[in-house]
Amino acid sequence: MIRTGVQQMARGLCQIMGREISKGNFNTNIRQQMTPRGTFQLPWSSINSVRTMAVLPWPFSFQPRDFSLPNLSWGSDMRRLYEHYNSQCEVETDDGEKKWGVWRRLPSYNRSLKYATGTGRVSFTWMECVCTKRHALTTYCGVYLSKIIQSKARLFTRNIREQGAAFEYVVFVNKQEQKCVCVFQAGHLLEGPPGHVHGGAIATMIDTVTGTHATYLSGPVMTANLNINYRSPIPLGSTVLLTCSLDKKEGRKTFVSCQVTNTDSSKLHTEATGLFLSITMGDLLGG
């Protein structure tokens, strides 16, 4: 039933876009992307890594929320550490000009790109798009349909709408020093032992931050091994600092270590090491 419904949506999209093309509304968007050999070039140059983002036209375009920006749920420690690192993301020269600092704040959204492959092609399933107007419509419909299918998918750490209820965090990276820090405030929905953060929530944040750091240094990766030692419990609602550093790189392997401490780094809560393997998007999609 689901497959039939999706196919019907795909055909409907093709019909709508076919009518628009016949009116001349899509001529600029599609004809300009045709190569001299008559093959279709995607509206963006290429998709070679997970870092490349494609922007879809109406009706699926929207301005996503950046979860790494301060909100009303952030406590004083969370805000203080945010300002400390964010102030180092941009510096002013003696001439009064602003330039990038040693740290970069990474924006954080609640969705992943679902239709990119390592070969620069759009990947989609459950799709039978019969379009006689333009072969390019098949690709366009694939992008649109993939957006519809994945519309309910959310990142695990960003799937709670209530601000401050679960994972509140912001990540800063320093490529020059090959370091990464994450300011993390644990909400009331992350309770494990009474009054303290669940060990699984701590592991989730360690995996998220070490994986982000490995991706920033090595490109797309997946976790191969995560070894965690819990030293002392984290009080629920408190703010902690996750500090990651690169240990070494060997071929496809990236080794990262991480420490979870209180805000002044005087108390060690958790320490971990992680092994990450470089991949292509084709690996994820079976290409």
Side-chain angles (χ1 to χ4, degrees), residues 129-149:
C129 195
V130 182
C131 304
T132 57
K133 293 289 183 180
R134 294 286 188 275
H135 288 295
L137 283 179
T138 303
T139 303
Y140 265 97
C141 289
V143 175
Y144 284 134
L145 184 56
S146 179
K147 191 71 175 179
I148 294 172
I149 293 173

Side-chain angles (χ1 to χ4, degrees), residues 7 27 29 47 57 61 95 112-113 161 173 175 196 205 280:
Q7 289 175 343
N27 285 351
N29 290 340
I47 304 177
S61 294
D95 299 330
S112 294
L113 188 62
R161 290 189 176 183
V173 293
K175 194 170 186 178
H196 293 83
M205 282 307 305
T280 65

Side-chain angles (χ1 to χ4, degrees), residues 149-164:
I149 293 173
Q150 301 294 345
S151 63
K152 292 186 177 181
R154 297 292 184 275
L155 290 179
F156 181 58
T157 56
R158 298 302 195 188
N159 64 2
I160 304 296
R161 290 189 176 183
E162 181 183 353
Q163 294 180 344

Side-chain angles (χ1 to χ4, degrees), residues 78 108 156-158 166-172 180-187 190 197-213 223 226 228 230 234 238 240-244 256 258-260 270 272 276:
M78 182 83 174
S108 179
F156 181 58
T157 56
R158 298 302 195 188
F167 300 94
E168 289 291 340
Y169 65 94
V170 54
V171 178
F172 295 90
C180 171
V181 296
C182 171
V183 187
F184 168 48
Q185 178 180 288
L190 302 184
V197 183
H198 194 288
I202 300 171
T204 295
M205 282 307 305
I206 291 174
D207 187 32
T208 297
V209 179
T210 54
T212 297
H213 187 42
T223 309
L226 201 61
I228 301 175
Y230 298 94
I234 299 175
S238 65
V240 294
L241 193 65
L242 289 84
T243 305
C244 301
V256 178
C258 178
Q259 287 190 332
V260 184
T270 314
F276 299 87

Side-chain angles (χ1 to χ4, degrees), residues 13-60:
L13 281 170
C14 289
Q15 291 172 1
I16 293 172
M17 296 174 69
R19 287 196 295 268
E20 294 300 311
I21 285 179
S22 64
K23 297 175 185 178
N25 295 338
F26 272 35
N27 285 351
T28 300
N29 290 340
I30 292 182
R31 287 176 183 168
Q32 288 182 353
Q33 306 301 330
M34 299 296 287
T35 65
R37 291 185 295 177
T39 57
F40 182 71
Q41 177 67 36
L42 292 176
W44 47 93
S45 58
S46 64
I47 304 177
N48 294 320
S49 74
V50 74
R51 300 175 190 171
T52 305
M53 186 65 70
V55 181
L56 293 176
W58 182 90
F60 300 108

